[in-house]
Amino acid sequence: ALLLRQGVREPRVSKLFGKRGTQWLDTLRVAGWAGTSLHGLRQLLADVRTQLVPVLGTIRTTAVADPIARALDARPGFSPVFSVTLRAEVGIITRFPDGPHLASYAGLVPRVERSGGRQWSGHITKAGSPWLRWALIQAAIHQLRRHDDFCRWARRLAVRKGILKARVAIARALCDELFDVWPRG
């Protein structure tokens, strides 16, 4: 946004903060306060990335030591960050009788209103943990890369309903899979 306000057109790179984009930013000269602000923002990003290295190391260590996080990390589309996040947000899996109850806790089920014999289903409830919902939807994005019946179902759903609605439905279906693979005891 800062560059656009200064009339600077972005280079043809896929990631502005990737290798080629950073090289382009190094050669860019912006005058006045905008240049100072750009320098400050780039320094802030570098500081955050530096501070993130030990945090990610701690998360990876935690994921390797925890049997539940290890089991979740073995699933397609999960990383140590997602596994530890799911582990922390779900807590004790035995509080849920099945996967649909876990999906309801994550707020991934549609809102249902009933009156006089009529039933209306709306948007998802978004009740429960926003971090759990976020992690499940992020994991759902990667489920289309699997090579099994689940992936074929997900692709058909994405074509029929659209990718955004399909991601929520995939995340809801992931709750069933997670409930089944979650180690107990």
Side-chain angles (χ1 to χ4, degrees):
L2 175 76
L3 297 176
L4 289 174
R5 284 194 300 268
Q6 298 303 312
V8 177
R9 298 188 69 152
E10 289 187 27
R12 295 183 184 265
V13 295
S14 59
K15 295 180 182 177
L16 183 60
F17 295 104
K19 186 176 179 180
R20 289 182 41 211
T22 303
Q23 290 171 348
W24 177 79
L25 283 170
D26 290 340
T27 63
L28 182 66
R29 299 291 172 246
V30 179
W33 287 105
T36 306
S37 182
L38 178 62
H39 177 72
L41 290 171
R42 291 190 67 204
Q43 185 61 46
L44 180 65
L45 180 62
D47 292 345
V48 167
R49 285 182 174 165
T50 302
Q51 293 175 11
L52 197 58
V53 170
V55 171
L56 289 175
T58 302
I59 288 174
R60 285 188 184 99
T61 303
T62 302
V64 167
D66 185 11
I68 295 172
R70 248 191 345 263
L72 297 176
D73 195 25
R75 305 293 304 157
F78 287 89
S79 70
V81 173
F82 288 140
S83 300
V84 171
T85 302
L86 285 170
R87 170 75 163 104
E89 291 298 317
V90 170
I92 301 168
I93 195 72
T94 54
R95 13 183 230 146
F96 306 105
D98 54 17
H101 282 85
L102 176 61
S104 179
Y105 175 73
L108 291 169
V109 296
R111 183 177 314 275
V112 177
E113 294 183 20
R114 295 181 183 140
S115 177
R118 294 181 52 180
Q119 179 174 323
W120 177 81
S121 296
H123 299 286
I124 60 173
T125 61
K126 294 188 180 180
S129 169
W131 293 109
L132 177 59
R133 191 169 43 257
W134 170 79
L136 287 168
I137 289 178
Q138 290 298 315
I141 291 171
H142 300 286
Q143 300 306 307
L144 296 174
R145 296 183 189 149
R146 289 169 54 168
H147 302 289
D148 58 1
D149 291 337
F150 187 89
C151 177
R152 286 187 282 284
W153 166 78
R155 286 175 188 255
R156 284 192 311 269
L157 186 65
V159 168
R160 197 172 73 242
K161 293 288 189 177
I163 191 67
L164 297 179
K165 288 183 180 180
R167 283 180 187 162
V168 174
I170 294 166
R172 192 168 42 246
L174 273 177
C175 289
D176 287 333
E177 284 193 1
L178 292 178
F179 186 82
D180 292 340
V181 300
W182 195 288
R184 287 160 177 80

